[in-house]
């Protein structure tokens, strides 16, 4: 089933790119494998998935050594400062940076590890109490400040849009994130190292691609529904 799901998602991505006049190569699909067993990840791997996203540090570091070496890992979930040391230098990208303390810790651990860590700034794009992320109207200042940390590469922005039935309702938020992104680009000067807009999940990734997403994070659409009660 996972192979068929992945093929369907791939087709949807291609069609969304076509509608938007975009190149398929400019959109990275992140297979969000949280809560799923290794056998499911391997099935996705064998069907071609190479980029996996997890939202818990412990689960991420457990799965990482058990998957083939050419897998790229992304930390997409809320990150606590005390867990930073376990993932810096090991994940390609941390999507969820939204406070200065976390930035300082990532910078410190990256210096120690002798790496520059790629990160995104998470924006609470619909200003929801239940979500993490910097406020939309503070995102640009936060972003520019984050660029001053020498062992951190700020690559772009991430958002989690509201959970809605009709994905069209989220188009406004993807447009809003894109505007913040363009404002930042205009301020800092267009820079080939700033190239990521991580937005769109199972319910709304096609709309997100139409509005400029360069990374979509798809879990349920590939692996099926998650069961949080099994443990
Ligand atoms: C779980 C999760 C996803 C994937 O959600 P689906 O709706 O299952 O595609 C995407 N992004 C983040 C940050 C997540 O935690």
């Amino acid at each position: 089933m996972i192979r068929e799901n992945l093929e369907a998602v791939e087709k949807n991505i291609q069609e969304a790119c076509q509608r938007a006049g975009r190149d398929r190569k400019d959109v990275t699909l992140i297979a969000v494998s949280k809560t799923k067993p290794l056998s499911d990840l391997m099935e996705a791997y064998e069907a071609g998935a190479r980029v996996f996203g997890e939202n818990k540090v412990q689960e991420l570091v457990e799965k990482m050594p058990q998957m083939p070496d050419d897998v790229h890992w992304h930390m997409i979930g809320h990150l606590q400062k005390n867990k930073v040391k376990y993932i810096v230098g090991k994940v390609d990208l941390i999507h969820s940076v939204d406070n200065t303390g976390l930035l300082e810790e990532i910078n410190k651990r990256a210096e120690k590890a002798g790496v520059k860590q790629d990160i995104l700034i998470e924006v609470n794009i619909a200003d929801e109490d239940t979500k993490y992320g910097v406020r939309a109207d503070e995102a640009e200042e936060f972003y520019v400040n984050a660029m001053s940390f020498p062992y951190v590469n700020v690559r772009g922005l991430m958002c989690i849009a509201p959970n809605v039935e009709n994905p069209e309702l989220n188009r406004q938020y993807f447009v809003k994130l894109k505007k913040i992104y363009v404002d930042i680009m205009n301020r800092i000067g267009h820079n080939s190292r700033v190239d990521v807009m991580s937005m769109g999940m199972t319910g709304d990734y096609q709309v997100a691609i139409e509005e400029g997403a360069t990374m979509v994070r798809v879990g349920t659409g590939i692996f099926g529904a998650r069961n949080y009660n099994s443990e």
Side-chain angles (χ1 to χ4, degrees):
M1 202 53 199
I2 289 172
R3 176 179 293 270
E4 288 79 1
N5 289 345
L6 204 53
E7 283 167 3
V9 170
E10 178 55 38
K11 185 161 174 282
N12 289 337
I13 291 175
Q14 284 178 18
E15 286 172 2
C17 285
Q18 230 152 41
R19 284 195 297 278
R22 300 185 57 201
D23 192 332
R24 168 66 185 90
K25 287 199 292 294
D26 294 336
V27 179
T28 301
L29 171 60
I30 301 169
V32 176
S33 48
K34 64 192 188 198
T35 78
K36 296 296 176 180
L38 218 57
S39 54
D40 283 8
L41 277 72
M42 270 317 291
E43 219 174 309
Y45 179 87
E46 270 150 21
R50 290 295 179 274
V51 186
F52 288 81
E54 291 280 343
N55 73 335
K56 293 211 160 64
V57 168
Q58 193 185 335
E59 195 175 341
L60 182 60
V61 298
E62 262 173 42
K63 285 172 171 173
M64 217 179 257
Q66 303 189 64
M67 287 292 287
D69 285 344
D70 61 341
V71 166
H72 297 270
W73 296 95
H74 288 213
M75 174 60 189
I76 62 172
H78 178 63
L79 180 58
Q80 282 166 334
K81 259 172 65 173
N82 61 350
K83 304 264 173 77
V84 165
K85 57 179 176 288
Y86 300 115
I87 62 165
V88 158
K90 295 189 178 147
V91 297
D92 279 39
L93 188 60
I94 299 172
H95 288 233
S96 43
V97 177
D98 67 356
N99 66 80
T100 305
L102 185 57
L103 267 172
E104 285 167 355
E105 180 67 11
I106 294 171
N107 188 66
K108 183 177 117 189
R109 295 292 172 177
E111 178 175 17
K112 239 185 189 153
V115 297
K116 264 196 145 188
Q117 178 66 54
D118 281 4
I119 66 156
L120 302 178
I121 305 303
E122 178 172 355
V123 181
N124 186 352
I125 199 69
D127 202 17
E128 294 176 276
D129 291 339
T130 52
K131 293 230 166 84
Y132 293 103
V134 300
R135 288 165 48 126
D137 59 1
E138 291 168 352
E140 185 175 323
E141 283 316 308
F142 187 82
Y143 196 104
V144 170
N145 176 254
M147 289 177 68
S148 67
F149 288 84
Y151 297 94
V152 169
N153 266 329
V154 194
R155 294 284 305 278
L157 300 173
M158 179 272 223
C159 76
I160 304 174
N163 187 4
V164 291
E165 285 286 313
N166 176 4
E168 283 300 330
L169 296 174
N170 281 342
R171 188 179 294 276
Q172 57 177 316
Y173 298 118
F174 302 139
V175 169
K176 192 171 168 190
L177 195 75
K178 177 73 190 240
K179 184 177 182 306
I180 296 170
Y181 179 85
V182 170
D183 285 348
I184 290 169
M185 293 287 258
N186 287 338
R187 169 142 166 207
I188 66 175
H190 290 254
N191 173 341
S192 60
R193 290 293 296 162
V194 179
D195 56 0
V196 180
M197 285 226 300
S198 170
M199 59 186 193
M201 307 174 26
T202 295
D204 54 20
Y205 64 94
Q206 287 119 305
V207 173
I209 290 170
E210 288 168 14
E211 299 305 335
T214 68
M215 285 182 187
V216 290
R217 311 178 306 266
V218 180
T220 313
I222 296 172
F223 295 103
R226 287 176 291 272
N227 181 0
Y228 287 103
N229 303 322
S230 65
E231 246 181 311

